[in-house]
Amino acid sequence: MMEYFAGLDASLRSCAICVVNTKGKVMLKRELPCEVDDIADCLNSFGYPIKRVGFETGTQSQHLFIV
């Protein structure tokens, strides 16, 4: 079974998203507003379950981390 992983690169106004499969093939690459709802909608609409999401740490991404 193929697994998918997402990486987020957040800046003040936008967030770059890249989803890759287990073989490293880029399946989705998109830039969108850096808002939780926009990011969640994008990842949920991908069509396959995403195993892990990683994002850069720092002041630009703190508002994206929800415990």
Side-chain angles (χ1 to χ4, degrees):
M1 176 183 230
M2 190 66 67
E3 292 180 333
Y4 301 91
F5 307 91
L8 281 64
D9 183 9
S11 69
L12 188 57
R13 294 195 173 124
S14 65
C15 180
I17 296 177
C18 184
V19 178
V20 298
N21 65 17
T22 347
K23 295 181 180 182
K25 180 180 178 187
V26 175
M27 304 301 292
L28 173 75
K29 198 171 186 178
R30 186 166 294 155
E31 187 169 330
L32 51 136
C34 198
E35 299 294 330
V36 172
D37 290 339
D38 293 327
I39 295 166
D41 288 345
C42 178
L43 294 176
N44 286 329
S45 70
F46 175 62
Y48 298 98
I50 295 175
K51 177 96 173 165
R52 288 203 177 111
V53 177
F55 60 96
E56 73 169 318
T57 58
T59 58
Q60 304 301 327
S61 61
Q62 288 177 349
H63 72 286
L64 298 176
F65 184 77
I66 301 170
V67 179

